[in-house]
Amino acid sequence: MNSRMRAVNFFFFKVIPLSIIFGFCCLYSLKAQQFSFNGTRTKNAVNFNLIRNLVIIPIYINDKGPYNFILDTGVGPLVITDTTIINDLRLSDLRPIKITGLGKGIEIDAFLTNQVSARVGKASIDYIPTAILKTDILGLSNYMGVKVYGLLGYYFFNSFTVEINYSSKRVVFSLPGTKKKIKGDIIPLQIINNKPYINVELYTKELGTINAKVVVDNGASHAISLETLNEKPFPVPLNSIPANLGIGLSGPISGNVGRIPKIRIGNFELKEVISSYPIYNDVAAKTLFLNRNGNLGADILSRFNTTFDYTNEIMYLKQNPTYKRPFEHDMSGIEVYVEEDATKHYFISRIEPNSPAEIAGIREGDEILSINFTNTKTLNLNDITKTLRSGDGRGIFLSINRNGELLIKLIKLKKRI
């Protein structure tokens, strides 16, 4: 799979098998596995970039950096996806392993190490369990439009009470037990296999009201993914469309996209929520915790200022100014990825069949030079994504480069879900 085919319109899945976590525990049980502060400090904060609903923070690895990492409740160990930093980190004790993750495909090669120290702001950890992918199959940098080197999850969230303030784009983290009034409604958590789970109430036209257990995954940019119901594939609503849902550790994930009329999380009720339904054998059949119904992602979580307290198994939700923004799916049928040299170049990686883009004659591999006559060099992926969801029936002019030929195409956006 080349870099052009790694880009996805919705989200990527990631699973680090439980055997890896157990392996870390056995191999490195005597090593410290908590972030901590020096001296009497109990609290710190870092700013973050928000791209496609995902939180990107700067991390120093083995005193090198900073490197951009996605802060992600959906992963256990530190995951390094971009191996270009391995030489900088001077790692020697790398244990080869095979990983079977989500998606269609075969096992992939990776390495385990305990030679990594990490620092976030004033907090640091030595010997953090780390998985290093031999090949960057997720293509996070192409997907995000900035250089991204990996994912940081459980060991950070388990060390602190962590507030992700999507309004101010700031992560505030404090030691457990630090006296602080936390704002928001309390949502009980369960920490299972190093990941947080909550119960939500779903209402669907076909099934009525369902109580569902979902993993809270702020590192997945979708709203909600529904995978299983009573250990069978979650029923796909009649009003849905086939879609390429993302990329997993074992390859692409396909399925359908539809809407859930109502989702209740505690006292909050969200309506007409975009929902994804991955093919059962690609996702649900490979999950470690079978008694779960799906995955709650950042298109919902980013509507709140969210605080995670793993020690007390609590999540706090306080709605922010984006709470009432409508849930929208792409209205063009275009998937975009980024290649960067001296400047950014936006290419089309996939065209959905029978979509406005296909009707307009857009092709895979076309480079987007401008959108509505605004040069894409002045835009970022958030700008482009927002434009491609900007209104049913709206006309969008694309200037494209196709093998050196300049073409102007008009796409009439269509609300397909």
Side-chain angles (χ1 to χ4, degrees):
M1 183 183 303
N2 61 35
S3 63
R4 292 189 179 187
M5 298 306 294
R6 289 182 193 145
V8 292
N9 194 38
F10 259 90
F11 55 93
F12 54 88
F13 283 93
K14 62 276 170 201
V15 166
I16 303 299
L18 190 60
S19 59
I20 293 179
I21 306 299
F22 286 161
F24 276 130
C25 293
C26 294
L27 287 169
Y28 310 133
S29 58
L30 298 179
K31 305 293 187 180
Q33 293 183 351
Q34 293 280 114
F35 279 86
S36 61
F37 297 117
N38 288 327
T40 59
R41 179 183 290 274
T42 60
K43 178 181 175 182
N44 197 215
V46 295
N47 296 328
F48 66 81
N49 290 326
L50 187 67
I51 302 176
R52 290 185 166 180
N53 298 322
L54 304 185
V55 173
I56 302 175
I57 62 171
I59 299 179
Y60 288 85
I61 304 290
N62 289 0
D63 295 321
K64 305 286 186 178
Y67 302 107
N68 288 327
F69 273 66
I70 294 174
L71 189 60
D72 185 351
T73 55
V75 296
L78 182 75
V79 181
I80 295 176
T81 59
D82 189 327
T83 57
T84 60
I85 67 173
I86 300 304
N87 289 336
D88 291 341
L89 303 183
R90 297 180 181 178
L91 301 177
S92 56
D93 182 21
L94 298 177
R95 301 181 64 248
I97 59 166
K98 296 282 188 180
I99 295 178
T100 300
L102 302 184
K104 320 179 219 186
I106 60 176
E107 293 178 324
I108 63 170
D109 293 310
F111 302 98
L112 301 182
T113 182
N114 73 331
Q115 298 286 309
V116 170
S117 63
R119 176 165 60 84
V120 179
K122 300 295 184 181
S124 61
I125 182 174
D126 293 324
Y127 314 113
I128 183 171
T130 302
I132 303 170
L133 304 187
K134 188 174 181 180
T135 303
D136 183 8
I137 58 101
L138 292 178
L140 297 180
S141 298
N142 297 120
Y143 175 72
M144 302 298 288
V146 298
K147 192 69 171 176
V148 175
Y149 291 90
L151 311 163
L152 173 67
Y154 172 77
Y155 291 94
F156 183 77
F157 286 96
N158 193 51
S159 300
F160 303 110
T161 299
V162 180
E163 178 192 354
I164 302 177
N165 191 314
Y166 287 95
S167 301
S168 64
K169 295 183 175 58
R170 193 163 173 83
V171 176
V172 182
F173 45 102
S174 55
L175 293 176
T178 302
K179 290 184 178 180
K180 178 186 176 184
K181 184 176 180 180
I182 302 175
K183 298 179 180 179
D185 287 20
I186 293 176
I187 309 295
L189 288 179
Q190 283 183 285
I191 307 300
I192 303 171
N193 295 338
N194 295 347
K195 297 178 184 178
Y197 287 77
I198 63 170
N199 293 311
V200 300
E201 186 178 277
L202 311 175
Y203 173 78
T204 74
K205 294 177 182 178
E206 294 86 357
L207 303 172
T209 300
I210 299 169
N211 291 314
K213 182 185 289 291
V214 292
V215 60
V216 180
D217 187 356
N218 77 312
S221 61
H222 62 266
I224 191 168
S225 171
L226 296 173
E227 301 154 8
T228 66
L229 184 64
N230 300 323
E231 298 186 4
K232 296 180 180 179
F234 202 100
V236 178
L238 294 176
N239 184 23
S240 64
I241 60 172
N244 173 33
L245 300 181
I247 190 76
L249 288 178
S250 290
I253 296 169
S254 299
N256 289 74
V257 172
R259 286 186 184 269
I260 292 288
K262 285 191 293 188
I263 297 179
R264 180 173 289 277
I265 307 172
N267 294 320
F268 299 102
E269 185 175 275
L270 301 163
K271 296 182 179 180
E272 296 301 320
V273 179
I274 293 289
S275 51
S276 303
Y277 302 86
I279 292 175
Y280 183 80
N281 288 337
D282 289 353
V283 176
K286 297 182 179 181
T287 56
L288 305 175
F289 179 56
L290 296 181
N291 188 28
R292 87 176 201 189
N293 301 101
N295 175 299
L296 186 78
D299 194 20
I300 286 178
L301 295 170
S302 62
R303 296 159 193 266
F304 303 89
N305 293 334
T306 307
T307 302
F308 294 93
D309 181 354
Y310 279 24
T311 300
N312 294 303
E313 297 198 326
I314 290 172
M315 178 173 67
Y316 298 83
L317 295 179
K318 184 180 186 299
Q319 65 185 57
N320 64 37
T322 70
Y323 176 76
K324 293 185 177 180
R325 75 177 188 264
F327 290 91
E328 294 294 0
H329 177 51
D330 165 70
M331 299 180 188
S332 68
I334 289 175
E335 294 175 2
V336 179
Y337 75 98
V338 183
E339 286 188 355
E340 189 167 0
D341 40 43
T343 60
K344 291 182 179 179
H345 299 270
Y346 296 92
F347 291 90
I348 294 170
S349 61
R350 185 174 179 269
I351 303 291
E352 291 186 0
N354 303 314
S355 66
E358 183 180 71
I359 293 169
I362 307 295
R363 297 179 188 174
E364 292 180 8
D366 287 346
E367 180 183 1
I368 305 173
L369 302 177
S370 70
I371 299 179
N372 286 339
F373 306 106
T374 299
N375 193 309
T376 52
K377 289 181 174 27
T378 68
L379 303 175
N380 58 39
L381 273 176
N382 283 340
D383 299 325
I384 293 173
T385 299
K386 185 176 180 180
T387 300
L388 297 179
R389 299 181 180 186
S390 59
D392 187 31
R394 182 186 180 191
I396 301 293
F397 285 98
L398 295 186
S399 301
I400 61 174
N401 174 16
R402 180 180 296 164
N403 299 321
E405 182 182 4
L406 177 63
L407 301 172
I408 306 295
K409 298 288 185 178
L410 173 63
I411 297 178
K412 189 175 182 179
L413 299 182
K414 181 179 180 181
K415 189 172 183 176
R416 295 174 289 157
I417 290 296

